[in-house]
């Protein structure tokens, strides 16, 4: 018998009624009792899904279990590999493989003292926690007078006294310092945001430096030719013990497309290794025999590092005949059209003193360290240099891959040996004398970034201690100069204070000092947006110029915080003339290949008769001796990875703070401290970058 129709289709068109459930009891026993909770509750269409039997459920569970076991096995393998790397690094690193602290021990000593205090407080609070004496972890702002607490023992009395000291004296100081650093953090973030908006505006409006005479030097190859319309250009290659890269840099510069009688190449060799001097001298002789106007200079008195080398070269009498000077470091390999893309910008612009090109990196994908450096340097050139060049006509000279008007150098006082950042020094003095700068983002020069953490750390120390030395020396000159007031404010507040002093100060203080302290002083806990949201947003802005690096955003954020200890130490050393602030250490290069290397290799395959045509017997003998010496020098020098004490101490400090955060159930803080501590551990054991066997 078919069930009766109740006419619910008419009720569906009406307003839904809500009320008590209706129980309908049928007299016919063939019908069941229906309990209706809503008008259409019993008349929904049945889902035509096939039920799963027990075998299918078993297979699904097995598949999920297989995935879980595979994930756990992968994590266990990665953790075991990490432990193996740590064990091998600690066992096989000898005394010479450790970082030499020298006169910079003050920061390491402070970190060790901080670590010892943190471990003591952690043990103290762990005992109190397991005894149930955790009064303020859930409500850190709640103050309970000690007089109302029932003292159970002497240890309990000490714990209550620590809570009172923490809440009444330590927490206010930590809160004040954290608020100060947060304000600096936000100001620096706004500065970065404004720079990014300026870069977007440049891209949107397609703003680029223009050449007044578009046909200047538009003729093709000028090899062997001469033209009076080409200005005289001096090309300098300063180097010091650059065994790995001297050959490719000299080869690339000698192939610049410029009339040979309008260009002179100076190879400024400051090497103290006699064998390297002979190799470089032989390379210069080889290109000189090919008709290139190139000379070799070696100083007997090597003072002033790179600045002293350049100053000595500019004092030659023949320099007066040249109008411009292009500078390339030993690992830079310019394209043949570099001078044709840069020198024409000086035409009919007598106020223009510098044309700076962009760096490109042949080894940016060599390892994780080079990838993270590429992110920073892409932001520096794409955003900072380009925005400052377009809107201010001023930026810091990068020391290489640029062309100077010699008159601008001379009027600004020439190269000075007073700091380790001679490039920034000459740029600031030229700006104070009214010279303008142009940055060419489309002209790229190949170079290398350091592949080992040791080399990168030494480079960053010099780059962050030098500006503080310069700031102390030129502050008076800036204040008394005749440039506009807003230019003085830009130099002092933005160029030096915000980007060279405040940035390393707050990044180290906020994330490596205050954050661990707040784990032991929960009354001064940092908000989540300070340690998570804003840093991630700023990291996204930094990665925008290198979009292929988006998968590395988390390692980049953690590594930048790790480098803050090096930058902070360098900043303080330069500002107060501490430690090795005046020490110059040449960055180690690997000599990676590029297109110019391939051209040089093609030249090497030329018949010997073409290479030595017109060479005397004594020069032939010298060349053969140099070739034999090259073969003997192929034996690799034994290298070892080092252990970095400050990074390791900070790793244990942050991991200690992470353990303390578990007691207060602070999820975001715990994960940040855990991963940041592991990053410090990896860097401290030199497990990032180039690995030596």
């Amino acid at each position: 018998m078919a069930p009766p129709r109740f006419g619910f289709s008419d009720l569906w068109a009406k307003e839904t009624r809500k009320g008590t459930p209706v129980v309908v009891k049928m007299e016919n026993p063939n019908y069941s009792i229906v309990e209706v909770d809503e008008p259409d509750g019993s008349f929904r269409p049945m889902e035509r899904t096939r039920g799963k039997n027990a075998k299918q459920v078993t297979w699904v569970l097995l598949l999920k279990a297989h995935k879980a076991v595979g994930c756990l096995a992968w994590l266990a393998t990665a953790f075991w590999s990490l432990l193996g790397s740590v064990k091998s690094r600690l066992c096989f690193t000898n005394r010479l493989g450790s970082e030499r602290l020298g006169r910079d021990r003050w920061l390491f000593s402070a970190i060790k003292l901080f670590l010892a205090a943190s471990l003591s407080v952690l043990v103290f609070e762990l005992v109190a926690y397991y005894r149930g004496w955790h009064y303020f972890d859930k409500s850190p702002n709640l103050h309970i007078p000690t007089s109302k607490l029932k003292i159970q023992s002497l240890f309990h009395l000490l714990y209550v006294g620590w809570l009172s000291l923490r809440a009444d004296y330590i927490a206010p100081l930590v809160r004040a310092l954290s608020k100060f650093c947060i304000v600096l953090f936000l100001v620096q973030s706004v500065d970065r945001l404004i720079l990014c908006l300026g870069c977007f505006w440049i891209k949107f409006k397609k703003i680029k430096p223009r050449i007044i005479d578009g046909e200047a030097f538009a003729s093709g190859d000028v090899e062997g030719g001469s033209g009076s319309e080409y200005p005289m250009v001096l090309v300098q290659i300063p180097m010091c013990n650059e065994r790995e890269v001297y050959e490719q840099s000299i080869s690339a510069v000698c192939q610049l497309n410029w009339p040979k009688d309008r260009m002179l190449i100076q190879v400024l060799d400051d090497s103290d290794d006699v064998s390297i001097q002979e190799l470089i001298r032989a390379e210069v002789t080889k290109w000189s025999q090919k008709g290139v106007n190139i000379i070799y200079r070696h100083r007997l008195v090597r003072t002033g590092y790179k600045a002293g080398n350049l100053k000595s070269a500019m004092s030659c009498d023949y320099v007066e005949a040249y109008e411009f000077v292009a500078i390339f470091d030993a690992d830079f390999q310019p394209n043949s059209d570099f001078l044709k893309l840069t020198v024409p910008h000086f035409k009919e612009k007598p106020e223009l003193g510098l044309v700076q090109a962009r760096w490109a990196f042949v080894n940016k994908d060599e390892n994780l360290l080079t990838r993270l450096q590429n992110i920073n340097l892409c932001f520096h050139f794409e955003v900072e240099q380009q925005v400052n060049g377009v809107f201010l006509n001023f930026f810091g000279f990068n020391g290489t891959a640029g062309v100077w008007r010699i008159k601008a150098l001379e009027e600004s006082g020439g190269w000075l040996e007073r700091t380790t950042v001679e490039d920034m020094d000459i740029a600031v003095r030229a700006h104070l004398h009214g010279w303008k700068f142009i940055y060419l983002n489309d002209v790229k020069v190949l170079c290398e970034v350091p592949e080992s953490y040791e080399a990168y750390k030494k480079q960053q120390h010099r780059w962050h201690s030098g500006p503080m030395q310069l700031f102390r020396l030129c502050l008076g000159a800036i204040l008394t100069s005749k440039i506009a007031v807003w230019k003085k404010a830009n130099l002092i507040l933005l160029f030096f204070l915000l980007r060279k002093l405040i940035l390393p100060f707050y990044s180290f203080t906020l994330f490596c000092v205050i954050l661990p302290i707040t784990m032991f002083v929960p009354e001064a806990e940092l908000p989540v947006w300070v340690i998570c949201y804003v840093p991630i947003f700023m990291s996204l802005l930094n990665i925008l110029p290198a979009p292929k690096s988006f998968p590395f955003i988390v390692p980049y954020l953690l590594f930048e915080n790790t480098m803050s200890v090096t930058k902070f130490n360098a900043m303080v050393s330069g500002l107060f003339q501490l430690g090795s602030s005046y020490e110059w250490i040449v960055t180690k290069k690997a000599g990676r290949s590029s297109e110019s290397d391939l051209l040089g290799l093609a030249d090497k395959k030329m018949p010997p008769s073409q290479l030595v045509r017109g060479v005397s017997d004594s020069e032939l003998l010298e060349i053969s001796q140099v070739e034999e010496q090259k073969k003997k020098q192929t034996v690799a020098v034994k290298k070892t990875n080092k252990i970095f004490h400050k990074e390791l101490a900070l790793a244990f400090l942050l991991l200690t703070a992470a353990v303390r955060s578990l007691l207060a159930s602070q999820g975001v803080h715990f994960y940040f401290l855990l991963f940041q501590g592991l990053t410090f551990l990896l860097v401290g054991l030199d497990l990032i970058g180039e690995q030596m066997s």
Side-chain angles (χ1 to χ4, degrees), residues 509-572:
T509 307
L510 188 60
F511 296 107
C512 298
V513 177
I514 294 179
L515 181 59
I517 288 178
T518 58
M519 296 300 99
F520 300 96
V521 186
E523 295 86 352
E525 179 182 341
L526 289 175
V528 176
W529 60 268
V530 173
I531 64 174
C532 183
Y533 303 140
V534 176
I536 291 178
F537 177 70
M538 299 311 299
S539 298
L540 285 172
L541 290 182
N542 288 353
I543 291 181
L544 285 179
K548 294 183 179 179
S549 301
F550 270 101
F552 303 99
I553 181 172
V554 175
Y556 171 74
L557 173 60
L558 297 174
F559 182 71
E560 280 301 292
N561 290 335
T562 306
M563 286 303 301
S564 65
V565 59
T566 299
K567 298 176 181 178
F568 175 80
N569 183 31
M571 181 269 293
V572 175

Side-chain angles (χ1 to χ4, degrees), residues 308-507:
N309 198 0
L310 294 173
K311 181 179 180 180
S312 175
M314 294 298 294
S315 63
C316 298
D317 295 336
Y318 54 79
V319 174
E320 298 178 357
Y322 294 86
E323 187 177 357
F324 305 103
V325 55
I327 303 173
F328 300 100
D329 282 351
D331 60 316
F332 279 71
Q333 306 165 49
N335 293 328
S336 59
D337 59 349
F338 176 83
L339 293 179
K340 286 192 172 184
L341 296 176
T342 54
V343 175
H345 286 275
F346 289 97
K347 193 172 185 180
E348 299 183 13
K349 298 177 183 176
E351 75 284 355
L352 184 60
L354 168 66
V355 174
Q356 173 72 59
R358 179 174 178 169
W359 297 1
F361 312 104
V362 296
N363 61 338
K364 63 181 180 180
D365 297 322
E366 189 65 26
N367 53 48
L368 179 60
L369 178 61
T370 58
R371 290 185 174 96
L372 299 179
Q373 292 179 69
N374 180 61
I375 296 174
N376 265 340
L377 291 171
C378 283
F379 182 86
H380 170 69
F381 286 104
E382 184 84 18
V383 180
E384 293 179 341
Q385 296 292 76
Q386 187 171 210
V387 171
N388 290 326
V390 170
F391 295 104
L392 302 177
N393 292 122
F394 167 73
F395 47 82
F397 175 45
N398 294 117
T400 178
V403 182
W404 276 94
R405 189 188 296 272
I406 295 181
K407 182 180 179 182
L409 291 177
E410 294 174 347
E411 289 188 359
S412 304
W415 300 104
L416 298 181
E417 308 166 8
R418 56 182 182 173
T419 69
T420 57
V421 284
E422 75 294 327
D423 44 9
M424 184 182 294
D425 189 0
I426 188 64
V428 170
R429 286 184 283 117
H431 181 58
L432 296 180
H433 282 77
W435 291 97
K436 295 183 178 180
F437 303 162
I438 283 180
Y439 171 74
L440 303 179
N441 193 57
D442 297 332
V443 181
K444 300 179 181 180
V445 181
L446 291 175
C447 63
E448 290 186 16
V449 289
E451 296 183 8
S452 68
Y453 178 70
E454 180 187 7
Y456 178 63
K457 183 177 181 179
K458 292 177 179 177
Q459 181 195 69
Q460 292 300 306
H461 187 279
R462 176 167 56 87
W463 285 4
H464 286 81
S465 63
M468 290 298 96
Q469 301 173 25
L470 181 61
F471 178 65
R472 294 177 57 259
L473 294 173
C474 69
L475 178 60
I478 295 174
L479 295 175
T480 58
S481 64
K482 298 180 180 180
I483 61 175
V485 176
W486 68 270
K487 291 185 178 181
K488 295 181 182 180
N490 172 69
L491 268 177
I492 297 175
L493 300 179
L494 295 181
F495 187 77
F496 280 112
L497 291 183
L498 182 60
R499 298 167 188 167
K500 302 297 187 298
L501 188 149
I502 291 177
L503 176 58
F505 170 77
Y506 86 76
S507 58

Side-chain angles (χ1 to χ4, degrees), residues 88-107:
S88 62
R89 184 56 46 81
L90 293 177
C91 292
F92 294 104
T93 301
N94 54 20
R95 179 177 57 85
L96 297 177
S98 299
E99 178 191 17
R100 296 182 179 179
L101 296 174
R103 290 173 291 177
D104 290 334
R105 299 184 63 91
W106 65 273
L107 183 58

Side-chain angles (χ1 to χ4, degrees), residues 10 36 85-86 110 132 147 164 169 224 261 283 300 335 400 422 443-444 472 483 514 596 607 664 692:
D10 298 330
V36 182
S85 301
V86 171
S147 59
S164 300
Y169 298 100
D261 61 338
E283 185 70 15
L300 297 177
N335 293 328
T400 178
E422 75 294 327
V443 181
K444 300 179 181 180
R472 294 177 57 259
I483 61 175
I514 294 179
S596 59
M692 311 297 181

Side-chain angles (χ1 to χ4, degrees), residues 123-273:
V123 173
F124 187 64
E125 294 204 353
L126 279 175
V127 175
Y129 183 84
Y130 284 109
R131 291 191 179 185
W133 304 336
H134 40 283
Y135 302 115
F136 300 114
D137 284 341
K138 294 183 180 180
S139 300
N141 294 323
L142 178 63
H143 181 72
I144 300 178
T146 57
S147 59
K148 296 183 179 181
L149 294 176
K150 184 178 180 181
I151 305 300
Q152 303 175 8
S153 63
L154 178 61
F155 185 81
H156 190 203
L157 178 63
L158 293 176
Y159 181 66
V160 172
W162 156 246
L163 294 181
S164 300
L165 175 66
R166 191 179 76 183
D168 297 335
Y169 298 100
I170 301 178
L173 295 177
V174 175
R175 278 197 294 263
L177 182 59
S178 62
K179 289 179 181 179
F180 177 68
C181 290
I182 289 174
V183 170
L184 297 181
F185 182 28
L186 294 178
V187 171
Q188 197 271 338
S189 301
V190 171
D191 176 62
R192 285 290 177 101
L193 182 60
I194 293 174
L195 288 174
C196 290
L197 293 176
C199 183
F200 290 147
W201 180 259
I202 292 172
K203 298 292 183 184
F204 178 71
K205 290 293 185 177
K206 298 180 180 180
I207 302 175
K208 292 183 180 180
R210 304 294 181 184
I211 301 176
I212 295 179
D213 186 359
E215 301 297 326
F217 316 136
S219 58
D221 189 14
V222 296
E223 191 68 24
S226 175
S228 58
E229 72 276 7
Y230 289 85
M232 300 287 287
V233 178
L234 179 67
V235 183
Q236 296 177 333
I237 314 176
M239 59 180 63
C240 180
N241 297 325
E242 306 283 2
R243 182 189 299 275
E244 296 82 6
V245 295
Y246 76 92
E247 196 170 359
Q248 62 191 32
S249 62
I250 294 176
S251 173
V253 171
C254 288
Q255 297 176 57
L256 289 173
N257 192 6
W258 201 257
K260 294 181 179 179
D261 61 338
R262 313 291 294 179
M263 178 179 68
L264 173 64
I265 301 173
Q266 287 181 320
V267 178
L268 311 176
D269 182 23
D270 257 3
S271 303
D272 54 5
D273 190 333

